[in-house]
């Protein structure tokens, strides 16, 4: 079984929205073979809480406006360290860079096929590391 065309459409729109809001290290996995509850995961990160919220808001707005999709659940808003958007067909994780490193979700899903993403999203790979080096290796809540 593979992710549906609708899931791929949602993932690509969400990835582009995240890239437009300068998310780091955007990647998506087709988890349909190992999970029955969803088809795909999108992972993205940002160096501060405000940017995490901005990315999530842009994804939510874009999917609603362009594809008529609303999340059935949104979790993690209060702290904005890890916000999850559940669209049933896809689940989106936008994490603060520190949480992304600590929880390393990529490790859990590394055996699942990666989903091809828009070029803007692909170009975000390695941005978290680049940002950390530019800021002396310390990521805080300042922008």
């Amino acid at each position: 079984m593979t992710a549906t065309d609708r899931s791929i459409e949602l993932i690509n729109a969400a990835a582009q929205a995240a890239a437009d809001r300068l998310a780091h290290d955007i990647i998506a996995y087709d988890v349909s073979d190992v999970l029955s509850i969803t088809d795909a995961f999108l992972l993205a990160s940002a160096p501060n809480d405000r940017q995490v919220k901005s990315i999530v808001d842009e994804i939510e707005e874009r999917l609603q406006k362009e594809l008529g999709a609303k999340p059935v659940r949104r979790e993690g808003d209060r702290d904005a360290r890890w916000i999850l958007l559940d669209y049933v067909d896809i689940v989106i994780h936008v994490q603060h860079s520190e949480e992304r490193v600590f929880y390393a979700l990529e490790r859990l899903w590394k055996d699942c096929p990666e989903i091809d993403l828009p070029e803007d999203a692909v170009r975000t790979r390695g941005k978290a590391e680049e940002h950390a080096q530019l800021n002396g290796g310390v990521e805080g809540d300042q922008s």
Side-chain angles (χ1 to χ4, degrees):
M1 182 178 211
T2 60
T4 65
D5 290 343
R6 174 67 172 168
S7 296
I8 300 297
E9 180 181 40
L10 291 167
I11 285 287
N12 280 304
Q16 185 62 55
D20 290 349
R21 286 286 183 237
L22 306 178
H24 296 168
D25 300 318
I26 302 168
I27 193 164
Y29 294 100
D30 180 338
V31 297
S32 61
D33 281 343
V34 294
L35 292 177
S36 60
I37 58 171
T38 193
D39 280 349
F41 281 163
L42 179 75
L43 310 176
S45 54
N48 62 65
D49 302 350
R50 277 192 324 256
Q51 192 174 357
V52 167
K53 280 187 177 186
S54 175
I55 292 164
V56 168
D57 290 344
E58 182 66 19
I59 290 169
E60 198 169 6
E61 184 178 322
R62 184 100 42 107
L63 293 186
Q64 167 66 39
K65 187 188 296 184
E66 293 178 4
L67 301 171
K70 286 184 177 180
V72 295
R73 190 174 55 169
R74 180 175 169 156
E75 295 182 4
D77 269 329
R78 199 176 99 212
D79 295 330
R81 301 288 292 182
W82 181 349
I83 299 178
L84 178 141
L85 293 173
D86 183 352
Y87 284 87
V88 180
D89 294 333
I90 68 167
V91 175
I92 299 166
H93 301 268
V94 182
Q95 299 174 296
H96 188 288
S97 298
E98 293 169 355
E99 266 66 12
R100 179 86 177 257
V101 169
F102 183 79
Y103 290 102
L105 294 179
E106 289 91 337
R107 246 189 2 234
L108 295 174
W109 308 112
K110 70 179 183 232
D111 294 332
C112 296
E114 257 186 65
I115 295 172
D116 291 331
L117 296 175
E119 189 57 39
D120 289 344
V122 172
R123 280 196 293 267
T124 68
R125 308 276 170 88
K127 290 289 184 186
E129 186 176 332
E130 183 181 308
H131 179 19
Q133 289 174 352
L134 288 172
N135 290 299
V138 177
E139 296 208 27
D141 286 293
Q142 300 86 32
S143 46

